[in-house]
């Protein structure tokens, strides 16, 4: 399925561009192990948000703001978002929310194809 590569790509980009996490926080986990631990959380969160955005009738409007649609999806996806952000911050430091708009945008484009 195309969501697993999307989640992996989003994770790689966010890890590469995020601040370095405190190395004392998880000294025994490699980046690969942390990424594997995050994969299902990222998948469920991104899928929930992307489904909510793609179901929003405003998406088809000419001047639709993807950022606004993502924000409006948060109440529906709050549990997934909270769990994913807490785990991401614990493993890698802050940064996932910076790549979320591009991940959702790609998911919606791929779903339409």
């Amino acid at each position: 399925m195309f969501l697993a590569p999307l989640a992996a790509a989003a994770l790689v980009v966010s890890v590469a561009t995020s601040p370095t996490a405190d190395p004392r926080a998880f000294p025994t986990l490699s980046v690969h192990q942390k990424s594997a631990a995050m994969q299902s959380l990222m998948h469920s969160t991104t899928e929930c948000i992307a489904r909510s955005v793609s179901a929003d009738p405003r998406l088809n409007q000419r001047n639709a703001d993807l950022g606004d649609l993502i924000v409006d999806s948060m109440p529906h996806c709050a549990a997934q978002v909270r769990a994913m952000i807490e785990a991401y911050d614990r493993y890698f430091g802050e940064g996932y929310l910076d790549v979320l708009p591009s991940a959702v945008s790609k998911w919606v484009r791929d779903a339409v194809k």
Side-chain angles (χ1 to χ4, degrees), residues 44-58:
S44 66
T45 300
T46 304
E47 184 174 2
C48 181
I49 292 169
R51 286 187 189 281
S52 179
V53 167
S54 64
D56 192 315
R58 296 176 295 165

Side-chain angles (χ1 to χ4, degrees), residues 51-98:
R51 286 187 189 281
S52 179
V53 167
S54 64
D56 192 315
R58 296 176 295 165
L59 180 64
N60 297 322
Q61 294 176 356
R62 176 176 263 185
N63 295 324
D65 184 338
L66 184 60
D68 289 343
L69 297 176
I70 291 170
V71 168
D72 291 347
S73 75
M74 290 300 150
H76 178 71
C77 302
Q80 293 95 328
V81 170
R82 188 173 297 112
M84 190 275 311
I85 291 172
E86 288 173 2
Y88 185 93
D89 289 350
R90 187 172 52 250
Y91 290 133
F92 300 106
E94 296 179 11
Y96 181 73
L97 291 179
D98 296 335

Side-chain angles (χ1 to χ4, degrees), residues 3-67:
L3 288 178
L6 172 62
L11 180 62
V12 169
V13 169
S14 61
V15 169
T17 60
S18 70
T20 306
D22 180 1
R24 297 167 289 161
F26 294 95
T28 60
L29 295 179
S30 69
V31 172
H32 178 72
Q33 290 168 321
K34 293 174 187 179
S35 297
M38 288 295 304
Q39 189 171 17
S40 67
L41 288 169
M42 290 182 67
H43 174 81
S44 66
T45 300
T46 304
E47 184 174 2
C48 181
I49 292 169
R51 286 187 189 281
S52 179
V53 167
S54 64
D56 192 315
R58 296 176 295 165
L59 180 64
N60 297 322
Q61 294 176 356
R62 176 176 263 185
N63 295 324
D65 184 338
L66 184 60

